[in-house]
Amino acid sequence: MNIKDIIEQKLAEIILNVYQLKDIKLEIQENKTEFEGDFTIVTFPLVKQLKKNPESIGLELGQALTEQTDLFESFNVIKGFLNVKVKNQFFVDQFKTVTDQFTTIEKKNETVMVEYSSPNTNKPLHLGHVRNNLLGFSVAQILEEAGYEVIKSQIINDRGIHICKSMLAWEKFGKGATPETDHVKGDKFVGNYYVKFDQEYKKEIAQLIEEGSSEDQAKKDAPLMKEAQQMLLDWENGDEKVRNLWSEMNSWVYKGFGETYKRLGVDFDQIQYESNTYILGKDLIQEGLEKGVLYQKEDGSVWCDLTDEGLDEKLLLRSDGTSVYMTQDLGTAVERFKENNLQKLIYTVGNEQDYHFQVLFKILKKLGYTWADQLFHLSYGMVELPNGKMKSREGTVVDADDLMQEMYNEAKLKAIEQTRLEGLTDEEKEISYEIIGQAALKYFMLKVDPKKKMLFNPEESIDFNGNTGPFILYTYARIRSLLMKANYLNKEIAEVELNQHEKEVILQLANYKTIVSKAAESLSPALVANYLYDLVKSYNSFYQSHIILKLEDENLKQFRLNLSNLTAQTIQKSLGLLGIGTVNRM
């Protein structure tokens, strides 16, 4: 329980004792005014019920809080706002309590699966995938810190017409080239052929239109598209040549993905492949027909009527017996719960798929799966750059690898300009550039609420001042430097009289567990990121206002070093929840 929660509890007891009122929740704010007191209690909600003016209520409550609890030493009332000063010992005790907050995690005995990434094997990961991966990985870290057992998973979309387009283009135009012969990363190599298909396909469409076809007809009649569709049929029929080509090209892509994931710092406990899961939902279709939950049309196609749920009718099986994305998602969900004893499943997918997941969850509920209520779509907004949106078919997508390299270059440039890493070896500098660049990218992405679309500005993200990853890292490095100069050892201290800046830092440190709990509940790493910024601002205000190393009072010096050390630990732990590493020099 953090300090505000304790005050809230005491306040509720006093309101019940003094006014016999239950379930009254008054707003408690940290006092940022010039008036004495650590917290301000807003009394106005009681005015109507008690028919008294706010000043009288403030005086009555202040007197009761100081006389009937051992928490407060004084109070004052300004225009109905009750400012209360908490006893020094309480902050000291709180500090002692939070010193071991990282050693114990209260287990929830619940297993949660977080799905993220889920790329297609016809192109490399791009800027949108970066937000997806960072968000999913961070949510997994936060849930684990909140006491859940977490399984990080992805399902790779490795089949379908889009995969066949890359394969066909390589077959026609590749001349036997490989990623090794062309010295190109495997996922980029295959992605280039996806772009090549689109270029050649457009030429064929233009030619057919010139010969008199309508645009729609030209798209259907273009030879390349017909060949790609035939290749898909051959794949589904198990054609050995097509399957061998498919396996080889996918292996190139997986190797490339692995390199990107490693640099991005994300990983997975389970990987599923669409080529294995797309048939899973077909058994469910039969089950749904038998239960009368689904119905079959005259052409043999199978549908689910969700009009009574305010949705539409959803196709689940085509007339030729082939499944759709929804069918395999149904089967995959059932298998995941069956194989892993899950209590919750979270899908990290962009908000353009909101409707898809509404339908998926409703159908599973109709089929009788009670755990359908524990399915969550972590919907997030698209990422844009200052120069606009991205298009993958035309090859104008912002590549994840290029983006990470750009962040590294920006970090290196800034660090050299500001002589930040003087005294380090070249190898240490290289490691630091990478960590700083990744911190800039990840923090900027994650400090925005997932539901909001965002504009990613690389130049703004790498700034060493303001609400940025490098600024947080700089504060951490500053504390590590301080502790090193002091030859710091964590020692017990006698009681100290705390100043306002020290109290503010303790308040922030005591908030860590509450923030983690709220972030886990709302699936929002933004809460952790913005908590980090508030903690860093509070510590910097303390650091700039008070001496530490030159203190003659050894007890006070030791306390301030202990406070600094716990702040550094909390920064490092919170950054870890965002997938961000630290540097000791900056």
Side-chain angles (χ1 to χ4, degrees), residues 541-553:
S541 293
F542 152 72
Y543 180 86
Q544 288 157 13
S545 304
H546 305 284
I547 59 172
I548 300 177
L549 290 179
K550 293 182 180 178
L551 267 172
E552 292 182 7
D553 183 335

Side-chain angles (χ1 to χ4, degrees), residues 95 493 496 498 502 555-563:
F95 181 64
I493 55 159
V496 293
L498 302 173
E502 289 161 341
N555 187 60
L556 181 57
K557 177 181 174 181
Q558 184 66 45
F559 166 73
R560 288 182 178 172
L561 288 170
N562 288 353
L563 183 67

Side-chain angles (χ1 to χ4, degrees), residues 43 49 61 121 124 176 206-207 249 286 322 324-326 343 366 379 414 437 499 530 538 552 555:
T43 63
Q49 294 192 49
L61 279 179
T121 57
Q207 180 66 37
M249 291 185 72
Q286 189 56 42
T322 56
V324 295
Y325 274 112
M326 184 63 69
Q343 280 70 55
K366 276 182 174 287
S379 173
K414 285 271 185 184
N499 61 51
N530 290 294
S538 293
E552 292 182 7
N555 187 60

